């Protein structure tokens, strides 16, 4: 085992000793007496199967078949989740054939950041994770189930499902994804079209045509953002069937894997002689969390997970922090170049060797823990195998041991970079996250005068007015969790990219977020403490020299610290938009109780 991976894991174990023990004790108590429906009153149980056919009623009344609860994030507006419409019927039939039953336990909202990007609804986006966690808990609170299958793919949905199901960690849980859409317009071409639109060279009709050629069918968006980072991490943590993440929807292999996930849920619920194999609380442990973070860093994944997985880990009684991300990133090489870190998409990533190649190489070099429990059984090595049809039946074979395209995927002995794709910055401005995997080396240190803006739109207006044609650090404070829900500021990327192309030194500093698709522009994001809580980012003034240095980890403003602290914080009016309706008032509760970004950014509902 690599020394750095070992040391980070051990300090997480030590740091979490008491909270993890308390969590496991609660899970032991919850699962001690066997299936909960066996202890329910007749009236409770009758309500639980009133709508079922006689066969299912008999099975549930007699407690003769395990019951799998389905928690689904289906909606047919979100392309990644539209395929889930058919999953409950597939799962119910597969469960019955395997000697069990299945019921839809409940649904969760599935908000699309692609739709809300730059819109008022984006301010509700981050906290939807905790609504998803709560709705998952509501679904499983019915106590009718011996196992659960979660149907979710995108940004906050998978972390929310994880947080919610970890509260029911005495159950076996498996995640069944929908897969990415087939490749459309290439991501670099799409990015160029966006930059041309930002410069006024093309109109809205041409832009919409390009976007529609990129996002064109059911399935996850094909760039390597938060949604696809979710899927990769699920395999690295052992919560998917092996090789499941990037199989396209609507294919025979995709359906066969959904059936297999159902059969595995039934199987795990019956492993009474191996309690560790059937409980989610034991699959998601300190080593599995570290494995997930190694997968994120080695693939150049989404910065959003520097918040989401702090919250996920807490839900399992595990304490991780940004120092853990930073130390792991220094130890883990970058093995993938997938847009926005390269020109390929996740379909190309899979064809070049995919997750199986990554896990094999990282295991061979001691950068992952193999001694973990997964839904496939003991050992992460199960995830070096890929699914295929053999004589018409689903089977698994050894995945690639070498890359099929070294422009897209590499191994540890020949990485794209010696370190991972996410760094932590620190200095008198505060602490922040920066994604470096797509940032050119010449842009990894920016020292330039600040210009402070009240909003994302104000930056775009200044760009359109040709007011940013110079070396500049764009500072956007008051976009943290307590201010306005920490929206993503991804609409800044095309405009700031244009400034880079014009030869200027440009960076972004904000206590807001960037999309999982953040790329070539150096961006110090999720600055904590945020301006709303007195953070120094709110005391930066136009013309101050700001340093953003991904190489040394510096985030500073060249102002005397006493003078900086004495300045009055910049605040902007918090004016509710009429477009929020009830949402604005409801989410005020989350905003008022949000933790700092480094502590997970959501309200303290867990841990």
């Amino acid at each position: 085992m690599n020394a750095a991976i070992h040391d980070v894991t051990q300090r997480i174990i030590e740091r979490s000793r008491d909270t993890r023990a308390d969590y496991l004790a609660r899970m032991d108590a919850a699962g001690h007496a066997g299936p909960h429906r066996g202890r329910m009153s007749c009236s409770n149980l009758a309500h639980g199967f009133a709508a079922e056919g006689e066969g299912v009623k008999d099975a549930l009344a007699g407690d003769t078949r395990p019951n799998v609860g389905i928690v689904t994030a289906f909606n047919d507006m979100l392309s990644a989740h539209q395929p889930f419409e058919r999953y409950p019927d597939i799962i119910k039939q597969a469960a019955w054939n395997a000697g069990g039953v299945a019921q839809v336990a409940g649904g969760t909202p599935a908000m699309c950041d692609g739709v809300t990007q730059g819109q008022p609804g984006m301010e509700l986006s981050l906290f939807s994770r905790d609504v998803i966690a709560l709705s998952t808990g509501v679904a499983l609170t019915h106590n009718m189930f011996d196992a659960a299958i979660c149907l979710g793919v995108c940004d906050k949905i998978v972390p929310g499902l994880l947080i919610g199901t970890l509260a029911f960690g005495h159950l076996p849980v498996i995640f069944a994804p929908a897969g990415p859409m087939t490749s459309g317009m290439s991501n670099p071409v799409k990015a160029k079209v966006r930059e041309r639109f930002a410069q006024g060279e093309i109109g809205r009709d041409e832009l919409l045509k390009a976007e529609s050629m990129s996002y064109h069918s059911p399935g996850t968006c094909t760039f390597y953002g938060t949604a696809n980072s979710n899927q990769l991490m699920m395999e690295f943590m052992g919560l998917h069937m092996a090789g499941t993440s990037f199989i396209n929807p609507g294919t025979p292999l995709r359906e066969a894997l959904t059936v297999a996930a159902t059969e595995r849920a039934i199987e795990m619920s019956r492993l009474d002689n191996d309690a560790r194999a059937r409980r989610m609380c034991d699959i998601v442990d300190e080593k599995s969390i570290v494995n997930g973070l190694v997968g994120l860093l080695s693939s150049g994944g989404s910065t959003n997970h520097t918040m989401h997985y702090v919250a996920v880990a807490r839900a399992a009684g595990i304490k991780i922090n940004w120092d853990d991300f930073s130390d792991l990133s220094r130890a883990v090489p970058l093995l993938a170049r997938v847009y926005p870190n390269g020109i390929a998409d996740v379909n190309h990533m899979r064809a070049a060797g995919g997750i199986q190649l990554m896990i094999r190489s990282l295991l061979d070099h001691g950068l992952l823990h193999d001694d973990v429990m997964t839904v496939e059984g003991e050992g992460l090595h199960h995830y070096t195998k890929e699914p295929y049809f053999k004589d018409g039946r689903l089977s698994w074979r050894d995945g690639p041991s070498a890359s099929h395209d070294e422009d897209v995927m590499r191994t540890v002995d020949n990485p794209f970079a010696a370190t991972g794709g996410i760094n932590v910055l620190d200095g008198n401005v505060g602490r922040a996250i920066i994604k470096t995997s797509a940032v050119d080396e010449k842009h990894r240190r920016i020292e330039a005068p600040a210009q402070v803006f009240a909003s994302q739109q104000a930056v775009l207006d200044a760009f359109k007015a040709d007011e940013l044609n110079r070396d500049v650090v764009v500072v956007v404070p008051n976009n943290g969790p307590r201010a306005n829900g920490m929206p993503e500021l991804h609409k800044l990327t095309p405009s700031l990219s244009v400034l880079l192309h014009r030869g200027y030194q440009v960076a972004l500093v904000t206590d807001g977020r960037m999309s999982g698709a953040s790329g070539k522009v150096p961006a110090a994001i999720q600055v904590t403490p945020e301006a709303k809580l007195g953070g120094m980012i709110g005391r930066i003034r136009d013309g101050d020299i700001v340093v953003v240095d991904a190489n040394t980890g510096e985030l500073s403003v060249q102002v005397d610290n006493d003078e900086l602290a004495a300045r009055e914080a910049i605040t902007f009016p918090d004016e509710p938009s009429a477009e929020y309706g009830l949402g604005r008032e409801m989410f005020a509760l989350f905003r008022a109780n949000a933790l700092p970004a480094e502590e997970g950014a959501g309200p303290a509902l867990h841990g």
Side-chain angles (χ1 to χ4, degrees):
M1 174 59 61
N2 175 277
I5 307 298
H6 173 271
D7 290 348
V8 171
T9 305
Q10 287 306 122
R11 79 184 185 211
I12 292 171
I13 290 171
E14 289 300 319
R15 185 192 302 141
S16 310
R17 191 169 299 280
D18 291 343
T19 51
R20 178 66 175 170
D22 177 69
Y23 171 73
L24 290 175
R26 287 187 283 117
M27 296 304 103
D28 287 342
H32 179 70
H36 283 254
R37 70 176 181 279
R39 308 195 306 275
M40 297 172 92
S41 74
C42 292
S43 177
N44 295 147
L45 196 53
H47 277 85
F49 57 60
E52 301 289 354
E54 290 304 315
V56 174
K57 284 183 178 179
D58 290 345
L60 293 176
D63 201 20
T64 58
R65 286 175 175 249
N67 187 18
V68 177
I70 305 167
V71 182
T72 177
F74 161 74
N75 67 51
D76 59 11
M77 180 275 296
L78 180 52
S79 65
H81 288 189
Q82 186 270 352
F84 289 138
E85 182 176 17
R86 294 185 57 243
Y87 274 40
D89 288 340
I90 295 170
I91 291 168
K92 288 179 181 181
Q93 186 61 57
W96 188 261
N97 293 344
V101 294
Q103 295 178 294
V104 175
T108 72
M111 189 171 183
C112 180
D113 287 358
V115 174
T116 58
Q117 197 69 245
Q119 303 298 317
M122 174 51 74
E123 295 190 8
L124 311 182
S125 173
L126 176 61
F127 296 144
S128 73
R129 181 193 73 197
D130 297 274
V131 173
I132 292 162
L134 287 167
S135 58
T136 301
V138 168
L140 295 179
T141 295
H142 290 101
N143 286 338
M144 288 286 293
F145 309 110
D146 305 280
I149 293 180
C150 290
L151 309 181
V153 172
C154 285
D155 298 9
K156 282 77 48 196
I157 293 92
V158 169
L161 289 167
L162 276 169
I163 292 167
T165 50
L166 280 165
F168 294 82
H170 61 285
L171 297 175
V173 179
I174 191 167
F175 282 65
M181 64 180 69
T182 55
S183 301
M185 173 181 280
S186 74
N187 287 299
V189 172
K190 176 189 67 180
K192 186 63 177 178
V193 172
R194 287 177 173 176
E195 290 175 14
R196 292 184 64 204
F197 178 77
Q199 297 178 86
E201 296 176 3
I202 61 172
R204 180 181 171 84
D205 288 348
E206 193 169 344
L207 175 65
L208 181 58
K209 181 180 179 181
E211 298 285 359
S212 298
M213 291 170 67
S214 300
Y215 309 117
H216 61 91
S217 70
T220 316
C221 306
T222 58
F223 64 84
Y224 191 54
T226 309
N228 286 315
S229 298
N230 276 335
Q231 303 316 302
L232 178 140
M233 293 177 78
M234 288 293 93
E235 292 211 32
F236 271 77
M237 292 174 64
L239 289 166
H240 274 176
M241 298 296 290
T244 294
S245 295
F246 299 143
I247 305 298
N248 301 122
T251 61
L253 188 56
R254 174 85 277 159
E255 182 165 331
L257 285 164
T258 304
V259 170
T262 307
E263 294 170 345
R264 184 56 49 83
I266 296 291
E267 177 187 340
M268 288 194 299
S269 73
R270 288 175 162 160
L271 292 177
D272 296 327
N273 62 340
D274 186 359
R276 188 161 188 264
R278 66 187 294 264
R279 304 195 309 171
M280 188 189 191
C281 64
D282 291 309
I283 290 177
V284 181
D285 65 4
E286 297 92 339
K287 291 180 178 180
S288 113
I289 290 287
V290 169
N291 283 349
L293 301 187
V294 169
L296 175 74
L297 296 165
S298 63
S299 61
S302 171
T303 55
N304 281 323
H305 289 314
T306 63
M307 294 179 296
H308 291 327
Y309 272 80
V310 173
V312 167
R314 283 188 176 210
I318 299 167
K319 296 180 179 180
I320 63 173
N321 58 41
W322 283 359
D323 292 329
D324 301 325
F325 281 90
S326 181
D327 290 349
L328 289 171
S329 188
R330 281 194 289 269
V332 173
L334 184 66
L335 304 183
R337 284 284 190 207
V338 185
Y339 189 84
N341 308 327
I343 63 172
D345 66 23
V346 294
N347 293 310
H348 305 134
M349 180 184 183
R350 178 187 167 219
I355 294 171
Q356 293 76 32
L357 176 62
M358 290 183 66
I359 291 178
R360 180 184 300 280
S361 184
L362 290 163
L363 280 173
D364 287 347
H365 288 81
L367 292 163
L368 288 170
H369 296 284
D370 190 34
D371 56 334
V372 291
M373 182 55 67
T374 75
V375 299
E376 293 279 14
E378 186 78 45
L380 192 64
H381 60 271
H382 290 288
Y383 290 82
T384 63
K385 297 183 180 297
E386 62 182 8
Y388 76 115
F389 285 118
K390 180 180 181 180
D391 299 327
R393 296 175 60 86
L394 179 64
S395 187
W396 277 262
R397 62 190 173 197
D398 287 339
S401 58
S403 175
H404 296 301
D405 184 346
E406 291 204 342
D407 290 333
V408 179
M409 297 288 299
R410 294 189 183 177
T411 53
V412 173
D413 51 6
N414 180 34
F416 291 104
T419 59
I422 294 174
N423 293 350
V424 177
L425 304 178
D426 206 345
N428 63 354
V429 176
R431 281 164 66 81
I433 294 293
I434 186 168
K435 183 174 179 178
T436 59
S437 50
V439 176
D440 191 285
E441 187 65 39
K442 66 185 178 182
H443 296 138
R444 292 194 180 186
R445 175 183 167 84
I446 303 294
E447 180 175 336
Q451 185 161 347
V452 182
F453 293 90
S455 66
Q456 177 174 237
Q457 188 58 49
V459 180
L460 297 176
D461 291 343
F463 173 81
K464 291 176 182 177
D466 287 330
E467 296 172 0
L468 293 177
N469 289 317
R470 62 185 188 280
D471 293 349
V472 62
V473 174
V474 171
V475 180
V476 189
N478 292 291
N479 277 263
R482 289 288 184 98
N484 61 352
M486 205 180 203
E488 291 183 345
L489 306 179
H490 183 52
K491 288 188 76 172
L492 296 178
T493 298
S495 298
L496 298 183
S497 297
V498 169
L499 296 179
L500 284 181
H501 292 325
R502 290 175 180 171
Y504 300 116
Q505 293 292 295
V506 178
L508 172 68
V509 176
T510 181
D511 48 11
R513 294 185 293 146
M514 286 293 281
S515 163
S518 55
K520 67 182 73 173
V521 178
I525 60 174
Q526 299 165 206
V527 173
T528 181
E530 63 174 288
K532 183 80 170 181
L533 296 181
M536 294 301 109
I537 186 177
R539 290 170 166 78
I540 298 174
R541 299 291 188 265
D542 289 350
D544 288 347
I545 301 300
V546 175
V547 175
V548 178
D549 193 330
N551 296 321
T552 65
E554 179 183 356
L555 175 62
S556 65
V557 56
Q558 294 182 358
V559 175
D560 179 79
N561 286 340
D562 290 338
E563 177 188 342
L564 189 66
R567 288 178 176 177
E568 184 177 351
I570 295 174
T571 58
F572 301 112
D574 183 22
E575 299 177 358
S577 166
E579 295 182 50
Y580 282 106
L582 177 62
R584 180 73 181 209
E585 304 306 320
M586 180 174 65
F587 276 78
L589 175 66
F590 288 81
R591 293 167 58 212
N593 293 281
L595 296 168
E598 191 171 4
E599 297 178 35
L605 299 177
H606 31 75

